[in-house]
Amino acid sequence: MNASFQSASLRERHRNGKIFSALFFASTLFAIVSLVTLLASVLDQTAGWVLIEYSIPEADIVPSDDEGNPIPLASLESEGLLSILDENLGGRRLKALDLEKPLAERSPGDLRELIIAEVLEPSVVRSWNFAESMLSRESIFQWAAETVPEGSLVFRWWISSSFLSHSQSSNALFAGVRSAILGSFMTIVLTILIAFPLGLGAAIYLEEYARDNRINRFIKTNIYNLSGVPSIIYGMLGLGIFVRFMAPLTSGALFSAASAAGDSVPLEAAALAADGRTILSASLTLALLILPMLIINAQEAIRAVPRTLRESGYALGATRWQVIFHHVLPSSMDRILTGTVLAVSRGIGETAPLVLVGASTFLTQDPTGIFSKFTTLPIQIYQWTSRPQSEFRNIAAAAIVVLMVLLMSLNSAAIILRNKFRSQRRV
């Protein structure tokens, strides 16, 4: 009877094990399918047919050859392209374009893009996603021919070199993410420079120096609580402290810093121009946001270092700081960097706190320093997805891909550093 009972118990445990194994596999499969669906949905919007309508036909502005046929815009050299701009744009607009970059110094390709944007003024009638473009090509062409016969149907990759090199524009065909990439990169790098030493220092103190008393236990408990505070609260904190109270510092007025345009201006004018809504304020706010996660992860990493390692250092006469610097930190740095990667990944994708501290939703100038006005990729994606035109959803999808690539690049750099520390520790 005893043997029969043990056999039944064993079968039940094996059955439970198979059930849990199936549940774990289903959870993994669900996560993979969700991720693939998300990526496929994003990538599907980054290419497809686009129906474009021009305000002026190209044949109306280009010169004609000896037989009276219009010369294609692509065949004209700089002299001919400049004459088209002179004939079709007003003096003030030509002067403004010349101030951005002298027209005489621009390449024929740049001049053609300028003519298309300023003279032909294309607008998107309708855009189709990649899958729809591949599966319904004939119906798309038929619809375009019946609806806008004078329009031009082109297959467009929304992620392109011009998309990466152009700044924002009210026309999706000419909009880019250059300013947003620079803003995101500068913001997150400054955030890491501020948060990493502070978080690591706090973790070292709490694990290696702080005594086990009520005050320190209270501090540790509240650090855990702060990691769960919604990011919008940090945005309100950043708005009150960094943007308003510390405006003379975060706007750069105290240092006679350049304004958002990059020119030196008087102190009062600089303070009014930037108003604390700068990259420095955003970085300080994001540093506060990720600081609890950095401290907690660093504490766990330091705590995992065996006590015998410390005692061996003390036995050789090393001071506490020497033990920390030469034994504890090298042994825990790979895990600390792993936690940093997770914290930075959260910071780079945040939108709510940046909206509150003044990230611009439309900015055509690149940030030139930590006291510049700024925008970031999440803000740009949010702004484009809120637009009713379908083409802005296409460039929002392209910006999402750029954001993921930027995020993976930063994470890869951190992983390479982590593996380097890990390999050194094994040696």
Side-chain angles (χ1 to χ4, degrees):
M1 180 176 179
N2 190 23
S4 175
F5 174 76
Q6 289 180 349
S7 178
S9 175
L10 183 62
R11 284 197 300 272
E12 183 179 359
R13 281 186 286 151
H14 283 181
R15 185 174 63 253
N16 292 337
K18 290 179 180 177
I19 292 173
F20 279 109
S21 176
L23 288 174
F24 297 151
F25 176 75
S27 302
T28 306
L29 187 62
F30 178 77
I32 293 173
V33 170
S34 300
L35 182 61
V36 170
T37 303
L38 174 65
L39 291 175
S41 174
V42 171
L43 294 175
D44 183 47
Q45 299 183 61
T46 57
W49 290 106
V50 181
L51 181 59
I52 300 174
E53 186 177 23
Y54 295 92
S55 61
I56 303 174
E58 181 180 327
D60 292 355
I61 62 169
V62 295
S64 301
D65 57 16
D66 296 337
E67 299 178 357
N69 297 320
I71 301 175
L73 198 62
S75 303
L76 293 176
E77 298 297 331
S78 296
E79 186 178 351
L81 297 170
L82 287 172
S83 65
I84 292 176
L85 288 172
D86 289 334
E87 293 171 3
N88 294 276
L89 293 182
R92 296 181 65 179
R93 185 56 185 157
L94 281 173
K95 187 176 180 181
L97 293 172
D98 200 61
L99 284 175
E100 292 178 5
K101 183 180 180 181
L103 294 174
E105 298 179 3
R106 302 196 185 202
S107 66
D110 291 341
L111 292 174
R112 290 189 193 97
E113 288 186 4
L114 203 59
I115 291 173
I116 293 173
E118 297 287 336
V119 181
L120 299 181
E121 296 181 344
S123 60
V124 176
V125 178
R126 184 178 173 183
S127 64
W128 289 266
N129 295 341
F130 182 79
E132 193 176 6
S133 298
M134 294 295 102
L135 299 175
S136 309
R137 187 174 185 275
E138 292 183 1
S139 62
I140 291 172
F141 273 74
Q142 184 179 358
W143 185 90
E146 293 174 354
T147 309
V148 188
E150 67 279 6
S152 176
L153 196 59
V154 297
F155 190 88
R156 186 181 179 93
W157 295 92
W158 292 98
I159 299 178
S160 62
S161 57
S162 61
F163 180 72
L164 298 176
S165 60
H166 285 181
S167 58
Q168 294 186 46
S169 171
S170 58
N171 190 331
L173 294 173
F174 306 106
V177 290
R178 185 185 65 201
S179 302
I181 290 176
L182 289 173
S184 293
F185 184 76
M186 294 173 69
T187 302
I188 203 64
V189 168
L190 187 58
T191 300
I192 295 172
L193 292 177
I194 295 170
F196 183 74
L198 289 176
L200 182 58
I204 291 173
Y205 174 78
L206 292 172
E207 287 299 319
E208 300 293 330
Y209 291 94
R211 295 179 178 178
D212 187 17
N213 53 34
R214 288 185 179 180
I215 296 177
N216 290 326
R217 285 198 295 271
F218 177 78
I219 292 173
K220 290 180 181 178
T221 302
N222 281 282
I223 288 174
Y224 279 90
N225 292 334
L226 285 174
S227 64
V229 173
S231 59
I232 192 73
I233 305 300
Y234 286 98
M236 296 171 66
L237 184 67
L239 175 66
I241 297 178
F242 303 128
V243 176
R244 293 176 178 168
F245 182 72
M246 297 174 62
L249 173 65
T250 55
S251 66
L254 286 178
F255 312 105
S256 301
S259 68
D263 299 323
S264 295
V265 293
L267 299 182
E268 297 78 5
L272 290 173
D275 194 23
R277 301 176 185 276
T278 59
I279 287 177
L280 179 57
S281 296
S283 298
L284 288 168
T285 305
L286 289 182
L288 282 182
L289 174 68
I290 67 174
L291 197 55
M293 292 181 63
L294 278 175
I295 295 174
I296 293 169
N297 289 321
Q299 277 185 276
E300 296 294 336
I302 292 172
R303 198 177 299 151
V305 177
R307 183 68 188 171
T308 54
L309 192 62
R310 295 177 177 83
E311 292 173 350
S312 62
Y314 294 138
L316 294 174
T319 63
R320 177 171 294 185
W321 166 243
Q322 286 175 319
V323 169
I324 293 171
F325 188 76
H326 293 289
H327 297 283
V328 177
L329 286 182
S331 300
S332 58
M333 188 54 71
D334 55 341
R335 290 185 289 270
I336 292 174
L337 288 177
T338 302
T340 304
V341 169
L342 296 175
V344 171
S345 300
R346 180 187 176 185
I348 199 172
E350 282 294 343
T351 304
L354 297 182
V355 170
L356 283 178
V357 298
S360 302
T361 55
F362 189 86
L363 186 68
T364 57
Q365 294 176 330
D366 296 336
T368 56
I370 62 173
F371 301 118
S372 298
K373 291 184 178 178
F374 71 102
T375 187
T376 61
L377 282 168
I379 296 290
Q380 195 63 76
I381 292 167
Y382 168 75
Q383 195 263 341
W384 280 338
T385 52
S386 62
R387 300 283 293 269
Q389 297 91 340
S390 61
E391 61 269 23
F392 281 97
R393 289 193 289 276
N394 293 119
I395 59 175
I400 290 172
V401 174
V402 174
L403 176 62
M404 288 193 295
V405 171
L406 179 63
L407 184 61
M408 285 189 289
S409 300
L410 289 173
N411 287 351
S412 300
I415 291 171
I416 291 171
L417 281 175
R418 182 193 65 185
N419 292 338
K420 183 179 178 181
F421 280 108
R422 185 172 292 172
S423 61
Q424 288 178 349
R425 187 180 63 179
R426 288 173 179 169
V427 172

